[in-house]
Amino acid sequence: MPAAMFAIDLQHLSKSYGPVQAVQDVSLRVPPGELFGLIGPDGAGKTTLFRIMATLLLPDAGTAAVAGHDTRGGMRAIREVVGYMPGRFSLYPDLTVAENLDFFAALFRTTVRANYELIRDIYEPLAPFRDRRAGALSGGMKQKLALCCALIHKPEVLLLDEPTTGVDAVSRQEFWQVLGQLKARGITIMVSTPYMDEAARCERVALLQEGQVLRVDTPAALQAAYPVPLYAVRATGSLYPLLQSLRAYPATRTVYAFGEEAHLSLLPAATAAATTGTAEADLLGYLARAGHAQVQLRGLTPTIEDTFMELLGARPAATAPTAR
Amino acid sequence: MKAFLLFVRKEFYHIFRDRRTLLILFGMPVVLVTLFGFALTNEVKNADVAVLDFDKGPHARQVQARLLSSDYFGLRHYLGSYREVEAAFRQGDIKLAVVFPAGFSHELDHLGHAQVQLVADASDQNTATSLVSYATSIVRDYARQELPPPAPGTAGPHVEAVARLYFNPSLEAAYTFVPGTMALILLLVSAMLTSITIAREKETGTMEVLLVSPMRQLPFILGKIVPYFLLSFGNALVILALGVWGLGMPMRGSLGLLLLETLLYTFVALALGVFISTRSSTQQGAMLFSILSLLLPTVMLSGFLFPLESMPPPMQAVSRLIPARYYIDILKGIMIKGLGLRELWPETAALLALAAGLLLLAFRSLKSRLA
Amino acid sequence: MSGAATQLPGAVAGPVIRAEGLTKTFGAFTAVDAISFEVAAGEIFGFLGANGAGKTTAMRMLCGLLTPSGGVASVAGFDVGREPEAIKRRIGYMSQKFSLYDDLTVRENIRFYGGVYGLRTTEIRAKTEALLGRLGLAHERDALVGSLPLGWKQKLAFSVALLHDPAVVFLDEPTGGVDPITRRQFWDLLYEAAARGVTVFITTHYLDEAEYCDRVSIMVDGRMAALDTPAGLKQQFGAADMNEVFLQLARGAKNTE
């Protein structure tokens, strides 16, 4: 497909800051109208990618095109059509809600009234606070105002760098509902988050770690990509002793705490035996002998977080020296 | 254009909502000027004066009486010789000595003009210059009021006051305070505040958003500069007014030229501010950089506090890069000596060169991307 | 409950944290509105709430940084209003935003914090070795903390916060932005500390982490809207997970920061 078929087209991007390789050979293609997620912890290279797409940084190698324009030669054209929300708070704290909005509208040579329709749903809960200084808003309201400011010129492509970090769960959920509505209007959205549970709300996601793309796929496909059967284990009492017992179990491949349960995968030999049911019986017997009461064991559809940890575990352990 | 005006309005919001900025902007000039002002007026009340009268004629006596009846001066000694004058200064007994040469009264009566010598202790420069200027005006008034009016077409009778300063014999460094304060305030307000406000955009993350917008650098820079340009100029006028009416600074040259030179200097300061802002990513950094690169050199190396002539040659060389040095010379030249552009062109040219150089530097280090 | 015996030297009998009607007002605004609760030694206590619900203010009062406007609270047996300095010696503190000095090495950071809490040099040296061994950081002792991955930094910061054997450690969103594996390793450290009798008081935005706590409180508009074990809360609100519990409670909030 020609590059212009994509709202965002990144090819073999690399960028380093001195000795730190922030982004390493990243290639991604996002068709118009997609809600695409960059998922990864701090230091995965999300912000660097956003800055390259927003024409703020030039890559050391590779090419990046946004809305059909190359970020190197088409900087001005891209800046006309992109809405960008940087990772940190990016409003004027000493200006009121209304003043911020007016200013950003003027910056893009438009007015709030001309594009009010696009931001109405997001702005309405803020409207009662229009004369309050932006610095005095709650985290969730700040994010909404920042989104309004990024949307006020009807961008074709919306770049949102960790919009939900540090925001409470209620505001996060509302924010994702808003993104769904914007997607329905045909805006291409690239959004990053360190929260794995938010990945499921994207159409496709890229899992990033230390500047590299681990995998790009739909959330469903990522869940299906988990290579071995996964179990959820629970017992009465605290999770910690159960985790310790499971770690000591010889057939254990991986075990991670997940809410009130432990997610467990078994070594291939045990997995093969699992089809006959003997592996499960063996495990239950082991846990009973270890003193765990009311042990429940069930098969499980892996979450994106499971897949992410699986992919992390497959890499040479750089961040996780004591991972098992 | 509308975007630009909104940008300027936004800057005014920032300024008027930030206590720190307001303090630097409006508090500092007033504090500095009143501080120096008080120091001056206190010193000048009933300053100790010695009289050395070689004339002993009627005019000399009447001039003395006038001087001593004013609030500014109080008689300390009648002296008999120059040697005694020197001794009195050394002991710190007197601030001013008035010397009437022999034949003073005779010359005034018959030639229509005469000289009186005013000797001041210039180790306290500001006091010395004020005393000399008060005494000078009293002596002049005497000639104008007490002697018969001139025949038409001839110069009237007048007394020339010749000032001599002990310890710092040239009048060069006189009145440094008002020009120095103006140079400093303009620099701080223009350069420091501009650089801090740009650094603040970087700190709040709004710089990223501004960059990723169709707005170009030039309107951005102008939008930052214009408010401070206006405010600086307003400040300059206030300081000037305080200097002339409050502290008795003379204004002998062209006010128009002075204002034009002030605009030029403000421009240099703003270019410096923009340049500093491109080098610092935090407000603190900009503040520190400003103090190190603007405040200290201006105070130390512009001739504001310390005479340039007495500095070692390397320091003098460095001082040639300090914009305030030229501006102070220009201010003194226009206000005190009544000089015009014909005499002040070297300083003006230096400021123009600095403006051009800094502007070039500022725009070259301004980027449309982050790195 | 993690149910471990309390063998911490100098551990106090009874609850380690006790708050009764603890209140803080700023002008007309009531940030914390008469909250009462107790936390037992060795408990992992989750302190949840939306932004602006009053979490930070409450935590600052318990750490002796803010004087309560009303009510009483004690930490490690000392009154937060009258004996804040005694409290500061008996607690550890770590937050996502500030933990260690990036421009000091691992060892220098440990030595500095040991010195702040008045540990003897020999004691610091012994503890440093033990700590580095436990974290697997022995080879990084002379590395600048700024050069370590975020996950390691946070684990190190937590261990440093425990250096002076505090009765309680306060953790303010310690795992923000950390990758999922490291986040779980971090929780292992919390469990180990709790098993040694250290009381862990933690705020987090990751609601799956709320499940790992022995008990969870949820603040809404300055009040403690819920306080129970995760299982108890889920049952009480008929919710499948803590996320749902949190959303049900926080939706009704009025205050924002």
Side-chain angles (χ1 to χ4, degrees):
Chain A
M1 271 194 281
M5 293 292 293
F6 296 98
I8 297 169
D9 189 352
L10 313 180
Q11 294 299 322
H12 305 292
L13 287 185
S14 290
K15 176 81 189 173
S16 56
Y17 306 105
V20 181
Q21 185 81 38
V23 165
Q24 209 177 331
D25 195 26
V26 167
S27 298
L28 291 174
R29 283 179 159 170
V30 180
E34 189 169 64
L35 174 51
F36 190 93
L38 292 179
I39 316 294
D42 287 3
K46 304 189 296 284
T47 297
T48 301
L49 281 177
F50 273 107
R51 287 183 170 168
I52 290 173
M53 290 185 279
T55 72
L56 287 171
L57 283 180
L58 288 174
D60 297 337
T63 59
V66 174
H69 307 283
D70 183 74
T71 56
R72 205 174 284 269
M75 180 178 83
R76 296 286 164 204
I78 290 175
R79 290 180 180 188
E80 298 278 346
V81 295
V82 154
Y84 172 50
M85 213 173 124
R88 33 187 193 167
F89 179 64
S90 56
L91 300 163
Y92 294 100
D94 55 340
L95 299 191
T96 66
V97 169
E99 285 165 358
N100 266 293
L101 202 53
D102 281 338
F103 173 72
F104 283 104
L107 197 60
F108 286 92
R109 299 190 289 267
T110 180
T111 60
V112 175
R113 193 176 305 161
N115 293 320
Y116 186 69
E117 198 260 337
L118 183 63
I119 62 162
R120 179 169 42 215
D121 290 345
I122 318 165
Y123 187 69
E124 258 167 16
L126 286 174
F129 305 103
R130 64 188 312 279
D131 292 324
R132 189 186 281 198
R133 304 262 169 102
L137 294 175
S138 74
M141 291 211 286
K142 276 178 193 162
Q143 301 300 66
K144 277 183 198 158
L145 177 57
L147 183 61
C148 285
C149 291
L151 276 172
I152 198 63
H153 60 293
K154 279 195 181 165
E156 291 172 33
V157 177
L158 201 50
L159 302 174
L160 310 173
D161 190 6
E162 295 207 12
T164 55
T165 296
V167 175
D168 65 69
V170 178
S171 304
R172 268 162 55 194
Q173 206 185 38
E174 287 171 3
F175 198 86
W176 279 95
Q177 281 166 0
V178 168
L179 292 192
Q181 291 160 12
L182 292 174
K183 184 207 134 38
R185 289 167 181 263
I187 298 175
T188 309
I189 303 173
M190 174 80 95
V191 58
S192 68
T193 176
Y195 297 101
M196 302 285 155
D197 55 330
E198 293 183 343
R201 292 176 165 269
C202 302
E203 283 172 276
R204 284 192 310 146
V205 299
L207 301 182
L208 295 172
Q209 174 76 1
E210 292 186 340
Q212 287 177 301
V213 175
L214 298 178
R215 187 78 58 101
V216 182
D217 221 324
T218 62
L222 282 176
Q223 289 169 327
Y226 200 82
V228 293
L230 193 64
Y231 299 97
V233 189
R234 68 164 76 195
T236 51
S238 172
L239 188 62
Y240 186 56
L242 180 66
L243 282 175
Q244 284 181 313
S245 297
L246 288 172
R247 280 175 193 156
Y249 185 56
T252 293
R253 180 175 168 273
T254 59
V255 58
Y256 293 114
F258 251 88
E260 56 180 347
E261 299 173 325
H263 285 192
L264 171 78
S265 68
L266 297 173
L267 289 170
T271 308
T275 50
T276 62
T278 52
E280 292 177 20
D282 192 48
L283 175 64
L284 287 173
Y286 165 79
L287 289 176
R289 282 195 301 281
H292 297 281
Q294 295 178 10
V295 176
Q296 294 174 30
L297 180 69
R298 62 184 171 89
L300 180 73
T301 308
T303 66
I304 291 171
E305 192 159 357
D306 286 308
T307 306
F308 190 88
M309 287 195 285
E310 180 67 24
L311 293 169
L312 280 188
R315 302 175 74 240
T319 39
T322 55
R324 31 169 307 141
Chain B
M1 195 59 201
K2 189 175 164 256
F4 174 71
L5 288 178
L6 270 165
F7 197 100
V8 172
R9 191 175 73 181
K10 178 199 78 118
E11 289 308 315
F12 274 113
Y13 285 149
H14 289 320
I15 292 167
F16 288 110
R17 286 174 190 179
D18 184 38
R19 227 172 273 166
R20 242 189 339 182
T21 308
L22 282 178
L23 210 68
I24 297 183
L25 207 53
F26 299 113
M28 207 164 61
V30 173
V31 167
L32 274 181
V33 170
T34 35
L35 221 97
F36 279 88
F38 267 117
L40 277 183
T41 46
N42 283 345
E43 288 291 332
V44 160
K45 283 253 156 70
N46 286 315
D48 290 324
V49 173
V51 172
L52 178 53
D53 189 352
F54 294 119
D55 178 50
K56 316 250 198 243
H59 288 304
R61 270 200 305 276
Q62 284 175 45
V63 170
Q64 281 170 43
R66 274 203 171 215
L67 277 172
L68 299 177
S69 65
S70 82
D71 286 345
Y72 303 122
F73 306 105
L75 181 68
R76 180 76 190 232
H77 297 297
Y78 271 112
L79 302 174
S81 72
Y82 274 114
R83 197 172 309 143
E84 287 174 39
V85 171
E86 260 189 67
F89 273 122
R90 287 245 163 70
Q91 284 161 17
D93 275 359
I94 56 169
K95 298 271 182 200
L96 183 77
V98 185
V99 183
F100 297 93
F104 175 80
S105 298
H106 182 83
E107 282 178 21
L108 203 53
D109 279 334
H110 294 93
L111 301 175
H113 61 85
Q115 276 191 350
V116 64
Q117 206 174 26
L118 302 171
V119 186
D121 172 5
S123 62
D124 184 353
Q125 230 169 62
N126 292 320
T127 309
T129 50
S130 316
L131 288 173
V132 166
S133 83
Y134 290 136
T136 303
S137 66
I138 290 172
V139 169
R140 282 197 183 134
D141 284 351
Y142 172 80
R144 215 176 49 231
Q145 291 163 10
E146 301 296 321
L147 295 174
T154 62
H158 62 276
V159 176
E160 201 179 335
V162 181
R164 264 188 56 203
L165 299 180
Y166 262 99
F167 308 119
N168 181 8
S170 77
L171 251 174
E172 268 299 290
Y175 291 115
T176 38
F177 150 63
V178 171
T181 310
M182 263 181 83
L184 193 62
I185 298 282
L186 287 179
L187 196 74
L188 283 181
V189 170
S190 313
M192 195 164 174
L193 291 183
T194 317
S195 69
I196 288 175
T197 157
I198 295 178
R200 182 161 62 183
E201 299 261 4
K202 294 186 190 173
E203 238 174 44
T204 54
T206 43
M207 193 68 182
E208 274 185 62
V209 181
L210 292 183
L211 280 175
V212 185
S213 80
M215 184 169 219
R216 302 289 182 114
Q217 287 101 294
L218 190 63
F220 172 77
I221 292 304
L222 288 179
K224 283 283 174 195
I225 280 180
V226 163
Y228 289 101
F229 200 79
L230 295 176
L231 291 167
S232 301
F233 199 67
N235 250 326
L237 293 179
V238 170
I239 300 170
L240 212 56
L242 279 171
V244 171
W245 285 307
L247 302 176
M249 274 290 283
M251 181 65 223
R252 303 213 171 98
S254 148
L255 182 66
L257 179 65
L258 186 123
L259 294 183
L260 280 177
E261 298 275 10
T262 300
L263 285 176
L264 174 61
Y265 176 69
T266 311
F267 194 75
V268 172
L270 288 167
L272 248 173
V274 173
F275 177 66
I276 290 174
S277 75
T278 60
R279 300 281 140 147
S280 35
S281 51
T282 62
Q283 295 182 64
Q284 267 184 332
M287 177 80 93
L288 205 66
F289 198 94
S290 296
I291 288 176
L292 286 179
S293 67
L294 302 178
L295 193 58
L296 290 181
T298 300
V299 170
M300 314 297 281
L301 294 177
S302 67
F304 177 17
L305 290 187
F306 308 107
L308 290 172
E309 292 76 14
S310 51
M311 279 179 196
M315 301 275 263
Q316 288 197 32
V318 174
S319 83
R320 290 185 194 286
L321 290 171
I322 309 288
R325 172 205 167 130
Y326 303 106
Y327 184 60
I328 291 176
D329 279 352
I330 289 171
L331 283 183
K332 286 200 284 193
I334 296 175
M335 296 180 80
I336 299 167
K337 299 181 191 156
L339 301 181
L341 201 53
R342 199 182 312 160
E343 294 89 358
L344 292 171
W345 69 265
E347 285 82 5
T348 310
L351 277 186
L352 278 171
L354 279 171
L358 282 168
L359 211 63
L360 198 73
L361 215 59
F363 272 91
R364 278 188 53 168
S365 48
L366 256 180
K367 296 190 183 77
S368 55
R369 302 183 200 261
L370 283 177
Chain C
M1 305 282 147
S2 43
T6 54
Q7 66 273 60
L8 195 80
V12 282
V16 173
I17 303 175
R18 188 204 307 258
E20 265 183 55
L22 190 62
T23 301
K24 183 72 190 180
T25 54
F26 298 104
F29 175 66
T30 305
V32 175
D33 189 0
I35 58 173
S36 302
F37 63 96
E38 289 183 351
V39 182
E43 187 174 355
I44 299 181
F45 188 81
F47 198 59
L48 274 55
N51 298 331
K55 276 182 315 198
T56 309
T57 307
M59 195 137 143
R60 284 188 181 154
M61 282 194 282
L62 293 176
C63 293
L65 299 176
L66 274 179
T67 312
S69 316
V72 289
S74 68
V75 172
F78 297 102
D79 184 88
V80 297
R82 284 182 284 108
E83 301 161 297
E85 296 312 315
I87 287 177
K88 287 175 194 171
R89 276 193 294 276
R90 302 288 293 125
I91 62 171
Y93 177 81
M94 172 202 163
S95 82
Q96 180 196 352
K97 290 183 194 85
F98 173 78
S99 38
L100 300 170
Y101 294 98
D102 276 351
D103 52 351
L104 297 187
T105 66
V106 171
R107 203 156 44 163
E108 286 162 351
N109 264 293
I110 300 174
R111 198 159 51 196
F112 171 74
Y113 280 100
V116 165
Y117 284 100
L119 301 189
R120 281 191 306 276
T121 311
T122 49
E123 211 176 346
I124 295 175
R125 200 167 299 148
K127 280 174 181 280
T128 303
E129 291 312 313
L131 189 157
L132 292 177
R134 197 163 59 238
L135 292 179
L137 279 173
H139 294 295
E140 322 286 336
R141 68 181 66 207
D142 291 319
L144 290 182
V145 162
S147 70
L148 296 179
L150 179 69
W152 284 25
K153 248 191 251 182
Q154 296 303 79
K155 283 188 272 188
L156 181 62
F158 176 70
S159 303
V160 169
L162 289 179
L163 206 63
H164 58 296
D165 295 317
V168 190
V169 60
F170 288 90
L171 307 173
D172 194 3
E173 292 181 31
T175 55
V178 175
D179 76 70
I181 291 182
T182 312
R183 213 148 59 79
R184 286 166 172 80
Q185 291 169 351
F186 189 85
W187 271 89
D188 279 350
L189 292 180
L190 297 193
Y191 282 127
E192 281 167 24
R196 277 183 283 133
V198 179
T199 305
V200 178
F201 190 96
I202 181 172
T203 73
T204 178
H205 278 310
Y206 293 97
L207 287 162
D208 60 324
E209 291 186 344
E211 309 264 10
Y212 310 153
C213 300
D214 294 319
R215 281 190 308 152
V216 172
S217 69
I218 299 178
M219 282 193 72
V220 178
D221 290 339
R223 295 213 180 100
M224 202 162 263
L227 171 59
D228 205 342
T229 61
L233 286 174
K234 281 181 278 187
Q235 195 175 12
Q236 186 186 337
F237 288 88
D241 54 26
M242 283 305 293
N243 198 40
E244 226 176 278
V245 173
F246 185 84
L247 290 179
Q248 280 189 34
L249 276 169
R251 279 260 160 68
K254 290 188 297 289
N255 285 348
T256 45
E257 353 179 274

